[in-house]
PDB file of all heavy atoms in Angstrom:
ATOM      1  N   ARG L   1     -69.793  34.321  43.717  1.00  0.00           N
ATOM      2  CA  ARG L   1     -69.077  35.472  44.290  1.00  0.00           C
ATOM      3  C   ARG L   1     -70.060  36.623  44.435  1.00  0.00           C
ATOM      4  O   ARG L   1     -70.920  36.832  43.585  1.00  0.00           O
ATOM      5  CB  ARG L   1     -67.967  35.930  43.350  1.00  0.00           C
ATOM      6  CG  ARG L   1     -66.832  34.966  43.190  1.00  0.00           C
ATOM      7  CD  ARG L   1     -65.873  35.475  42.121  1.00  0.00           C
ATOM      8  NE  ARG L   1     -64.954  36.474  42.669  1.00  0.00           N
ATOM      9  CZ  ARG L   1     -64.334  37.385  41.937  1.00  0.00           C
ATOM     10  NH1 ARG L   1     -64.540  37.465  40.644  1.00  0.00           N
ATOM     11  NH2 ARG L   1     -63.501  38.256  42.498  1.00  0.00           N
ATOM     12  N   GLU L   2     -69.905  37.373  45.500  1.00  0.00           N
ATOM     13  CA  GLU L   2     -70.736  38.567  45.698  1.00  0.00           C
ATOM     14  C   GLU L   2     -69.806  39.747  45.950  1.00  0.00           C
ATOM     15  O   GLU L   2     -68.877  39.644  46.758  1.00  0.00           O
ATOM     16  CB  GLU L   2     -71.649  38.396  46.920  1.00  0.00           C
ATOM     17  CG  GLU L   2     -72.789  37.418  46.724  1.00  0.00           C
ATOM     18  CD  GLU L   2     -73.969  38.027  45.981  1.00  0.00           C
ATOM     19  OE1 GLU L   2     -73.873  39.208  45.546  1.00  0.00           O
ATOM     20  OE2 GLU L   2     -74.981  37.326  45.834  1.00  0.00           O
ATOM     21  N   ARG L   3     -70.076  40.854  45.280  1.00  0.00           N
ATOM     22  CA  ARG L   3     -69.285  42.055  45.571  1.00  0.00           C
ATOM     23  C   ARG L   3     -70.027  42.870  46.618  1.00  0.00           C
ATOM     24  O   ARG L   3     -71.203  43.192  46.446  1.00  0.00           O
ATOM     25  CB  ARG L   3     -69.101  42.894  44.299  1.00  0.00           C
ATOM     26  CG  ARG L   3     -68.224  44.118  44.551  1.00  0.00           C
ATOM     27  CD  ARG L   3     -67.837  44.824  43.259  1.00  0.00           C
ATOM     28  NE  ARG L   3     -66.937  45.940  43.543  1.00  0.00           N
ATOM     29  CZ  ARG L   3     -67.360  47.193  43.711  1.00  0.00           C
ATOM     30  NH1 ARG L   3     -68.636  47.489  43.606  1.00  0.00           N
ATOM     31  NH2 ARG L   3     -66.481  48.151  43.989  1.00  0.00           N
ATOM     32  N   ILE L   4     -69.338  43.167  47.707  1.00  0.00           N
ATOM     33  CA  ILE L   4     -69.944  43.991  48.760  1.00  0.00           C
ATOM     34  C   ILE L   4     -69.471  45.418  48.488  1.00  0.00           C
ATOM     35  O   ILE L   4     -68.350  45.797  48.838  1.00  0.00           O
ATOM     36  CB  ILE L   4     -69.486  43.506  50.161  1.00  0.00           C
ATOM     37  CG1 ILE L   4     -69.808  42.018  50.354  1.00  0.00           C
ATOM     38  CG2 ILE L   4     -70.115  44.359  51.261  1.00  0.00           C
ATOM     39  CD1 ILE L   4     -71.257  41.634  50.332  1.00  0.00           C
ATOM     40  N   SER L   5     -70.332  46.208  47.815  1.00  0.00           N
ATOM     41  CA  SER L   5     -69.848  47.524  47.366  1.00  0.00           C
ATOM     42  C   SER L   5     -69.665  48.495  48.535  1.00  0.00           C
ATOM     43  O   SER L   5     -68.701  49.244  48.579  1.00  0.00           O
ATOM     44  CB  SER L   5     -70.773  48.105  46.308  1.00  0.00           C
ATOM     45  OG  SER L   5     -72.074  48.203  46.815  1.00  0.00           O
ATOM     46  N   ARG L   6     -70.622  48.449  49.514  1.00  0.00           N
ATOM     47  CA  ARG L   6     -70.462  49.353  50.663  1.00  0.00           C
ATOM     48  C   ARG L   6     -70.819  48.627  51.947  1.00  0.00           C
ATOM     49  O   ARG L   6     -71.647  47.718  51.942  1.00  0.00           O
ATOM     50  CB  ARG L   6     -71.364  50.580  50.498  1.00  0.00           C
ATOM     51  CG  ARG L   6     -70.831  51.543  49.428  1.00  0.00           C
ATOM     52  CD  ARG L   6     -71.661  52.796  49.355  1.00  0.00           C
ATOM     53  NE  ARG L   6     -73.019  52.510  48.896  1.00  0.00           N
ATOM     54  CZ  ARG L   6     -74.046  53.349  49.049  1.00  0.00           C
ATOM     55  NH1 ARG L   6     -73.863  54.506  49.661  1.00  0.00           N
ATOM     56  NH2 ARG L   6     -75.239  53.044  48.602  1.00  0.00           N
ATOM     57  N   ILE L   7     -70.203  49.064  53.039  1.00  0.00           N
ATOM     58  CA  ILE L   7     -70.510  48.474  54.354  1.00  0.00           C
ATOM     59  C   ILE L   7     -70.958  49.602  55.273  1.00  0.00           C
ATOM     60  O   ILE L   7     -70.365  50.688  55.273  1.00  0.00           O
ATOM     61  CB  ILE L   7     -69.274  47.778  54.966  1.00  0.00           C
ATOM     62  CG1 ILE L   7     -68.724  46.713  54.004  1.00  0.00           C
ATOM     63  CG2 ILE L   7     -69.622  47.131  56.299  1.00  0.00           C
ATOM     64  CD1 ILE L   7     -67.399  46.118  54.445  1.00  0.00           C
ATOM     65  N   PHE L   8     -72.005  49.336  56.043  1.00  0.00           N
ATOM     66  CA  PHE L   8     -72.521  50.353  56.968  1.00  0.00           C
ATOM     67  C   PHE L   8     -72.507  49.830  58.389  1.00  0.00           C
ATOM     68  O   PHE L   8     -72.646  48.637  58.629  1.00  0.00           O
ATOM     69  CB  PHE L   8     -73.977  50.701  56.622  1.00  0.00           C
ATOM     70  CG  PHE L   8     -74.154  51.381  55.308  1.00  0.00           C
ATOM     71  CD1 PHE L   8     -74.819  50.743  54.266  1.00  0.00           C
ATOM     72  CD2 PHE L   8     -73.665  52.658  55.093  1.00  0.00           C
ATOM     73  CE1 PHE L   8     -74.996  51.366  53.048  1.00  0.00           C
ATOM     74  CE2 PHE L   8     -73.842  53.306  53.875  1.00  0.00           C
ATOM     75  CZ  PHE L   8     -74.504  52.650  52.849  1.00  0.00           C
ATOM     76  N   GLN L   9     -72.362  50.791  59.308  1.00  0.00           N
ATOM     77  CA  GLN L   9     -72.649  50.483  60.699  1.00  0.00           C
ATOM     78  C   GLN L   9     -74.066  50.996  60.899  1.00  0.00           C
ATOM     79  O   GLN L   9     -74.389  52.103  60.473  1.00  0.00           O
ATOM     80  CB  GLN L   9     -71.690  51.250  61.595  1.00  0.00           C
ATOM     81  CG  GLN L   9     -71.646  50.663  62.959  1.00  0.00           C
ATOM     82  CD  GLN L   9     -70.218  50.529  63.447  1.00  0.00           C
ATOM     83  OE1 GLN L   9     -69.497  51.488  63.474  1.00  0.00           O
ATOM     84  NE2 GLN L   9     -69.819  49.344  63.833  1.00  0.00           N
ATOM     85  N   MET L  10     -74.925  50.186  61.506  1.00  0.00           N
ATOM     86  CA  MET L  10     -76.334  50.568  61.559  1.00  0.00           C
ATOM     87  C   MET L  10     -76.665  51.367  62.814  1.00  0.00           C
ATOM     88  O   MET L  10     -76.152  51.096  63.884  1.00  0.00           O
ATOM     89  CB  MET L  10     -77.208  49.309  61.540  1.00  0.00           C
ATOM     90  CG  MET L  10     -77.135  48.554  60.234  1.00  0.00           C
ATOM     91  SD  MET L  10     -77.517  49.578  58.803  1.00  0.00           S
ATOM     92  CE  MET L  10     -79.245  49.941  59.104  1.00  0.00           C
ATOM     93  N   HIS L  11     -77.527  52.368  62.607  1.00  0.00           N
ATOM     94  CA  HIS L  11     -78.084  53.074  63.753  1.00  0.00           C
ATOM     95  C   HIS L  11     -79.576  53.151  63.496  1.00  0.00           C
ATOM     96  O   HIS L  11     -80.064  54.094  62.887  1.00  0.00           O
ATOM     97  CB  HIS L  11     -77.460  54.464  63.887  1.00  0.00           C
ATOM     98  CG  HIS L  11     -77.931  55.180  65.113  1.00  0.00           C
ATOM     99  ND1 HIS L  11     -77.770  54.638  66.370  1.00  0.00           N
ATOM    100  CD2 HIS L  11     -78.591  56.346  65.285  1.00  0.00           C
ATOM    101  CE1 HIS L  11     -78.309  55.468  67.259  1.00  0.00           C
ATOM    102  NE2 HIS L  11     -78.805  56.492  66.629  1.00  0.00           N
ATOM    103  N   ALA L  12     -80.302  52.073  63.910  1.00  0.00           N
ATOM    104  CA  ALA L  12     -81.719  51.887  63.564  1.00  0.00           C
ATOM    105  C   ALA L  12     -81.864  51.951  62.051  1.00  0.00           C
ATOM    106  O   ALA L  12     -81.278  51.139  61.361  1.00  0.00           O
ATOM    107  CB  ALA L  12     -82.602  52.889  64.295  1.00  0.00           C
ATOM    108  N   ASN L  13     -82.621  52.936  61.492  1.00  0.00           N
ATOM    109  CA  ASN L  13     -82.772  52.944  60.032  1.00  0.00           C
ATOM    110  C   ASN L  13     -81.829  53.941  59.365  1.00  0.00           C
ATOM    111  O   ASN L  13     -82.011  54.315  58.214  1.00  0.00           O
ATOM    112  CB  ASN L  13     -84.224  53.242  59.649  1.00  0.00           C
ATOM    113  CG  ASN L  13     -84.658  54.615  60.118  1.00  0.00           C
ATOM    114  OD1 ASN L  13     -84.104  55.125  61.094  1.00  0.00           O
ATOM    115  ND2 ASN L  13     -85.614  55.207  59.446  1.00  0.00           N
ATOM    116  N   LYS L  14     -80.835  54.425  60.110  1.00  0.00           N
ATOM    117  CA  LYS L  14     -79.826  55.312  59.495  1.00  0.00           C
ATOM    118  C   LYS L  14     -78.530  54.519  59.359  1.00  0.00           C
ATOM    119  O   LYS L  14     -78.249  53.657  60.174  1.00  0.00           O
ATOM    120  CB  LYS L  14     -79.596  56.542  60.368  1.00  0.00           C
ATOM    121  CG  LYS L  14     -80.843  57.395  60.557  1.00  0.00           C
ATOM    122  CD  LYS L  14     -80.539  58.605  61.433  1.00  0.00           C
ATOM    123  CE  LYS L  14     -81.794  59.413  61.687  1.00  0.00           C
ATOM    124  NZ  LYS L  14     -82.801  58.673  62.473  1.00  0.00           N
ATOM    125  N   GLN L  15     -77.786  54.822  58.302  1.00  0.00           N
ATOM    126  CA  GLN L  15     -76.539  54.077  58.106  1.00  0.00           C
ATOM    127  C   GLN L  15     -75.345  55.010  58.178  1.00  0.00           C
ATOM    128  O   GLN L  15     -75.402  56.124  57.669  1.00  0.00           O
ATOM    129  CB  GLN L  15     -76.515  53.404  56.727  1.00  0.00           C
ATOM    130  CG  GLN L  15     -77.653  52.444  56.476  1.00  0.00           C
ATOM    131  CD  GLN L  15     -78.861  53.112  55.866  1.00  0.00           C
ATOM    132  OE1 GLN L  15     -78.781  54.218  55.364  1.00  0.00           O
ATOM    133  NE2 GLN L  15     -79.986  52.446  55.925  1.00  0.00           N
ATOM    134  N   GLU L  16     -74.295  54.536  58.816  1.00  0.00           N
ATOM    135  CA  GLU L  16     -73.032  55.284  58.810  1.00  0.00           C
ATOM    136  C   GLU L  16     -72.030  54.449  58.016  1.00  0.00           C
ATOM    137  O   GLU L  16     -71.685  53.337  58.435  1.00  0.00           O
ATOM    138  CB  GLU L  16     -72.538  55.482  60.253  1.00  0.00           C
ATOM    139  CG  GLU L  16     -73.476  56.375  61.067  1.00  0.00           C
ATOM    140  CD  GLU L  16     -73.210  56.300  62.563  1.00  0.00           C
ATOM    141  OE1 GLU L  16     -72.130  55.821  62.955  1.00  0.00           O
ATOM    142  OE2 GLU L  16     -74.099  56.717  63.335  1.00  0.00           O
ATOM    143  N   PRO L  17     -71.569  54.951  56.829  1.00  0.00           N
ATOM    144  CA  PRO L  17     -70.663  54.146  56.004  1.00  0.00           C
ATOM    145  C   PRO L  17     -69.331  53.920  56.729  1.00  0.00           C
ATOM    146  O   PRO L  17     -68.805  54.822  57.382  1.00  0.00           O
ATOM    147  CB  PRO L  17     -70.450  54.987  54.740  1.00  0.00           C
ATOM    148  CG  PRO L  17     -71.289  56.198  54.897  1.00  0.00           C
ATOM    149  CD  PRO L  17     -71.875  56.253  56.253  1.00  0.00           C
ATOM    150  N   ILE L  18     -68.802  52.701  56.642  1.00  0.00           N
ATOM    151  CA  ILE L  18     -67.466  52.416  57.200  1.00  0.00           C
ATOM    152  C   ILE L  18     -66.638  51.748  56.097  1.00  0.00           C
ATOM    153  O   ILE L  18     -67.192  51.172  55.168  1.00  0.00           O
ATOM    154  CB  ILE L  18     -67.529  51.515  58.465  1.00  0.00           C
ATOM    155  CG1 ILE L  18     -68.399  50.269  58.230  1.00  0.00           C
ATOM    156  CG2 ILE L  18     -68.028  52.274  59.667  1.00  0.00           C
ATOM    157  CD1 ILE L  18     -68.455  49.301  59.401  1.00  0.00           C
ATOM    158  N   GLU L  19     -65.333  51.848  56.214  1.00  0.00           N
ATOM    159  CA  GLU L  19     -64.474  51.345  55.126  1.00  0.00           C
ATOM    160  C   GLU L  19     -64.265  49.840  55.200  1.00  0.00           C
ATOM    161  O   GLU L  19     -64.039  49.189  54.189  1.00  0.00           O
ATOM    162  CB  GLU L  19     -63.114  52.065  55.171  1.00  0.00           C
ATOM    163  CG  GLU L  19     -63.222  53.503  54.667  1.00  0.00           C
ATOM    164  CD  GLU L  19     -61.952  54.294  54.922  1.00  0.00           C
ATOM    165  OE1 GLU L  19     -60.885  53.656  55.038  1.00  0.00           O
ATOM    166  OE2 GLU L  19     -62.035  55.528  55.004  1.00  0.00           O
ATOM    167  N   TYR L  20     -64.322  49.287  56.392  1.00  0.00           N
ATOM    168  CA  TYR L  20     -64.100  47.844  56.514  1.00  0.00           C
ATOM    169  C   TYR L  20     -64.790  47.351  57.783  1.00  0.00           C
ATOM    170  O   TYR L  20     -65.200  48.138  58.638  1.00  0.00           O
ATOM    171  CB  TYR L  20     -62.598  47.515  56.576  1.00  0.00           C
ATOM    172  CG  TYR L  20     -61.896  48.124  57.768  1.00  0.00           C
ATOM    173  CD1 TYR L  20     -61.849  47.456  58.991  1.00  0.00           C
ATOM    174  CD2 TYR L  20     -61.294  49.383  57.680  1.00  0.00           C
ATOM    175  CE1 TYR L  20     -61.231  48.021  60.096  1.00  0.00           C
ATOM    176  CE2 TYR L  20     -60.672  49.959  58.785  1.00  0.00           C
ATOM    177  CZ  TYR L  20     -60.646  49.262  59.987  1.00  0.00           C
ATOM    178  OH  TYR L  20     -60.046  49.824  61.080  1.00  0.00           O
ATOM    179  N   ILE L  21     -64.921  46.034  57.873  1.00  0.00           N
ATOM    180  CA  ILE L  21     -65.481  45.439  59.089  1.00  0.00           C
ATOM    181  C   ILE L  21     -64.562  44.294  59.501  1.00  0.00           C
ATOM    182  O   ILE L  21     -63.967  43.639  58.647  1.00  0.00           O
ATOM    183  CB  ILE L  21     -66.928  44.964  58.850  1.00  0.00           C
ATOM    184  CG1 ILE L  21     -67.613  44.639  60.179  1.00  0.00           C
ATOM    185  CG2 ILE L  21     -67.004  43.784  57.901  1.00  0.00           C
ATOM    186  CD1 ILE L  21     -69.110  44.601  60.076  1.00  0.00           C
ATOM    187  N   GLU L  22     -64.426  44.104  60.825  1.00  0.00           N
ATOM    188  CA  GLU L  22     -63.491  43.085  61.307  1.00  0.00           C
ATOM    189  C   GLU L  22     -64.202  42.078  62.200  1.00  0.00           C
ATOM    190  O   GLU L  22     -65.341  42.296  62.620  1.00  0.00           O
ATOM    191  CB  GLU L  22     -62.364  43.757  62.114  1.00  0.00           C
ATOM    192  CG  GLU L  22     -61.442  44.572  61.244  1.00  0.00           C
ATOM    193  CD  GLU L  22     -60.250  45.132  62.016  1.00  0.00           C
ATOM    194  OE1 GLU L  22     -60.326  45.280  63.258  1.00  0.00           O
ATOM    195  OE2 GLU L  22     -59.253  45.421  61.367  1.00  0.00           O
ATOM    196  N   ALA L  23     -63.481  40.982  62.473  1.00  0.00           N
ATOM    197  CA  ALA L  23     -63.989  39.914  63.343  1.00  0.00           C
ATOM    198  C   ALA L  23     -64.695  40.492  64.568  1.00  0.00           C
ATOM    199  O   ALA L  23     -64.202  41.433  65.186  1.00  0.00           O
ATOM    200  CB  ALA L  23     -62.819  39.054  63.798  1.00  0.00           C
ATOM    201  N   GLY L  24     -65.840  39.903  64.912  1.00  0.00           N
ATOM    202  CA  GLY L  24     -66.530  40.302  66.139  1.00  0.00           C
ATOM    203  C   GLY L  24     -67.516  41.427  65.973  1.00  0.00           C
ATOM    204  O   GLY L  24     -68.272  41.738  66.886  1.00  0.00           O
ATOM    205  N   ASP L  25     -67.566  42.058  64.790  1.00  0.00           N
ATOM    206  CA  ASP L  25     -68.453  43.207  64.634  1.00  0.00           C
ATOM    207  C   ASP L  25     -69.722  42.839  63.862  1.00  0.00           C
ATOM    208  O   ASP L  25     -69.792  41.812  63.202  1.00  0.00           O
ATOM    209  CB  ASP L  25     -67.708  44.345  63.910  1.00  0.00           C
ATOM    210  CG  ASP L  25     -68.034  45.702  64.537  1.00  0.00           C
ATOM    211  OD1 ASP L  25     -69.081  45.786  65.212  1.00  0.00           O
ATOM    212  OD2 ASP L  25     -67.267  46.656  64.353  1.00  0.00           O
ATOM    213  N   ILE L  26     -70.717  43.718  63.944  1.00  0.00           N
ATOM    214  CA  ILE L  26     -71.978  43.526  63.213  1.00  0.00           C
ATOM    215  C   ILE L  26     -72.159  44.716  62.285  1.00  0.00           C
ATOM    216  O   ILE L  26     -71.982  45.861  62.701  1.00  0.00           O
ATOM    217  CB  ILE L  26     -73.164  43.418  64.209  1.00  0.00           C
ATOM    218  CG1 ILE L  26     -73.073  42.096  64.987  1.00  0.00           C
ATOM    219  CG2 ILE L  26     -74.501  43.514  63.484  1.00  0.00           C
ATOM    220  CD1 ILE L  26     -74.134  41.903  66.045  1.00  0.00           C
TER     221      ILE L  26
END
């Protein structure tokens, strides 16, 4: 099991935190 503590949407080397990710996204 792996805990995914945070998820980011990437903008090159900057990250924008998002609360969840859904099918079809990166």
